[in-house]
Structure formats: C-alpha cells, structure tokens
Amino acid sequence: MSTGPGARPPLHLAPGEGRRYEMGRIQAVFKADGAETAEGYSISEWWLEPHTTGPGAHSHPEDDVFYVLAGTMNFLVGDRWVDAPAGSLVLAPGGTTHDFENRGDERAGALNLSVPGAFEPHMPGIRDWFLANPPGRA
C-alpha cells in the first residue's frame, strides 16, 4: 500500500453499500468517484424496476462501460438496441449516443464504469430531473 503524500487509501464496500440516489423506478449506488479514484473513473450500480425506461438517448465525452449484474438490460449504442443479459458487457465510447432500459419482467441492474470520472457531482441534478420526469414504461 502506498503511503506517500497524496496516496489514496484502499476502499472496501460491503454488498449494498455506497451513496444512494433514488429516482423513482431507478436507483443508482455510487461505489467510488472523485477523490476515491483521483478523478480517473467513476463506479456505480444502476438498478431499474421491470419495464422501466432510462434517461433517454444522450452522449457525453466520457466512455461508459456497463456490465450487467442481474436481469436483462437493453442498451441503445449508436443507432442499434442490444439485449444484454446478466454477464454482458456494453461499451459506449465517448461521444456515442446511448441509452438503457429494462424491458423485462424482473429488476435489472448494471455496474457502470465512467472514464474519466467526476460523474457523481452531476447526480443531484440527474436525480431532480428523474423526479420531475419519472421514467416511463419500457
């Protein structure tokens, strides 16, 4: 373990731990971001209830990597929707239009890696947007 100036301490979170953002039928749990990753990346879980739409098609400069943890998530990457069951990986390179939703009958979740990081500071505004614009049925 590095102990020099500016060294980051190791991080361990038990299942379910993290900073939670409740957005109606969508929940995000941030595991590491900001100072925890030296602003290099952000790691979060995104959980969608059955038949729930996501944020809508959007793009940003950061790469978004999704690893499906449970259920089947549906991802728009570019101009194509793909079905991604648990164990699938989806990469939306920076600048690529993307979206996600859960069209299935069970709760679905994905681990998200956003590179570079500093994603979590946007979450209060994202949460407020989802609360004002509740996700529809997928």
Side-chain angles (χ1 to χ4, degrees):
M1 176 173 114
S2 178
T3 58
R8 293 176 288 138
L11 176 64
H12 171 261
L13 297 176
E17 288 185 330
R19 297 174 295 275
R20 294 181 131 4
Y21 296 88
E22 300 290 335
M23 297 167 278
R25 298 175 54 80
I26 299 175
Q27 299 83 38
V29 183
F30 276 72
K31 304 296 189 173
D33 197 350
E36 297 157 331
T37 67
E39 308 295 336
Y41 54 93
S42 172
I43 301 174
S44 56
E45 293 177 4
W46 289 76
W47 294 93
L48 282 70
E49 296 302 319
H51 306 286
T52 299
T53 58
H58 64 284
S59 66
H60 41 72
E62 302 82 17
D63 280 6
D64 258 339
V65 180
F66 297 93
Y67 181 80
V68 180
L69 299 169
T72 296
M73 297 280 285
N74 311 94
F75 291 92
L76 173 68
V77 183
D79 60 0
R80 185 170 77 101
W81 280 96
V82 296
D83 295 338
S88 297
L89 182 124
V90 174
L91 167 63
T96 303
T97 299
H98 61 284
D99 190 9
F100 56 88
E101 58 187 40
N102 176 6
R103 298 175 185 167
D105 294 329
E106 63 182 66
R107 188 173 187 240
L111 188 69
N112 173 243
L113 178 66
S114 181
V115 181
F119 179 23
E120 189 173 6
H122 301 287
M123 283 308 298
I126 292 169
R127 179 194 56 223
D128 292 348
W129 185 87
F130 271 115
L131 293 176
N133 302 280
R137 282 189 58 84

